Amino acid sequence: TATHLNIGRLLLDHTSAEELEEEILAIINHLNWGVALIHDALERLMLAQLNLRAGKKAKAATAYELALKYLTVGAELLAADSWQTHYELTLQLYRERAECEFLVENYAQAEKLFDLVLDHATTNLDRVTVYSTRLNLPAYLGQHEDVITTGLVGLRLLGLKLSSNPGPLILIRELLKTRWYLGRKKVEDLLHLPRNTSLEKQAMMNLLINLWG
């Protein structure tokens, strides 16, 4: 164990920032073997950050089981007060871990982690990002009413209030409003609309796409 830790430290010391993304899995494997011997708070924090990067890389390669191992180690390295002291790192580790638990079909654990992140999230934008992913859980289990409820809760956080059971008059009204708005514009006008740079609106669109996709 100590040997692996020393090898990992040497590899990390002699790897440039440019090379790290390519070599991170090999390095993190050695470091994680010796994680029990790491007591320095700063080194544990650094290792948690590296495990997050390794987890994201493995997840992007659809190696979900491997990604989950890295993300779990990363979360376990965090201090008890990490939600207060290193919020963004903690948020990402637990959110990514929840997604991977879902992807490997550990649905009960995924739900617990999604709920934990929602309990600790400090902004509506962070909560909506979680809701957008959490939709997949009831959707996969065939719990369609829960999908709608979850999505509408997330949208409400961003100020968009939709009914879960709109009547025909509401649907006709909204359809007419949309046709009226679009009827006043040419295709060229739509093509040249300014880019949407609002993170809240982007999150809203992602949630709507996931809700009705």
Side-chain angles (χ1 to χ4, degrees):
T1 302
T3 301
H4 281 290
L5 180 57
N6 289 332
I7 292 173
R9 284 168 169 167
L10 284 171
L11 288 172
L12 186 60
D13 287 343
H14 291 85
T15 301
S16 68
E18 293 74 21
E19 297 170 328
L20 183 58
E21 189 62 28
E22 184 68 27
E23 304 295 332
I24 190 168
L25 298 187
I27 295 171
I28 206 70
N29 287 336
H30 284 292
L31 293 172
N32 283 351
W33 270 103
V35 68
L37 301 176
I38 300 176
H39 303 291
D40 179 75
L42 288 178
E43 187 173 10
R44 290 176 68 85
L45 180 64
M46 177 272 295
L47 187 54
Q49 294 169 334
L50 290 176
N51 271 285
L52 174 61
R53 292 179 64 175
K56 286 182 174 182
K57 182 172 183 176
K59 181 185 168 195
T62 68
Y64 302 129
E65 292 277 4
L66 182 61
L68 183 56
K69 290 180 180 179
Y70 293 135
L71 296 165
T72 301
V73 172
E76 291 173 348
L77 282 161
L78 297 171
D81 62 347
S82 65
W83 282 105
Q84 290 74 44
T85 58
H86 297 92
Y87 172 77
E88 190 60 35
L89 172 62
T90 307
L91 177 75
Q92 289 194 50
L93 275 168
Y94 278 100
R95 187 174 62 205
E96 294 284 343
R97 184 181 169 191
E99 290 183 28
C100 285
E101 292 284 8
F102 167 76
L103 292 168
V104 300
E105 302 183 6
N106 292 337
Y107 302 128
Q109 183 63 16
E111 186 170 18
K112 288 180 182 178
L113 289 171
F114 280 130
D115 288 343
L116 184 148
V117 176
L118 288 171
D119 286 342
H120 287 85
T122 59
T123 70
N124 283 340
L125 183 58
D126 287 338
R127 294 186 188 97
V128 169
T129 302
V130 176
Y131 277 120
S132 187
T133 306
R134 196 182 190 279
L135 283 175
N136 296 317
L137 186 55
Y140 190 82
L141 298 175
Q143 300 166 347
H144 303 300
E145 289 188 5
D146 288 346
V147 173
I148 294 173
T149 300
T150 300
L152 294 182
V153 169
L155 291 171
R156 208 168 292 127
L157 290 173
L158 295 178
L160 180 59
K161 297 180 180 180
L162 299 178
S163 172
S164 61
N165 188 27
L169 291 179
I170 294 177
L171 292 175
I172 292 172
R173 183 191 69 190
E174 294 303 318
L175 179 60
L176 290 174
K177 284 170 62 177
T178 302
R179 292 183 64 179
W180 177 81
Y181 180 78
L182 292 177
R184 300 167 60 217
K185 293 184 178 295
K186 299 178 181 178
V187 174
E188 294 78 13
D189 296 331
L190 301 177
L191 291 173
H192 294 94
L193 286 173
R195 289 182 62 86
N196 175 19
T197 58
S198 167
L199 295 178
E200 287 77 11
K201 289 181 180 178
Q202 290 174 16
M204 187 183 296
M205 290 302 302
N206 288 334
L207 187 50
L208 285 167
I209 291 168
N210 289 341
L211 183 55
W212 281 286

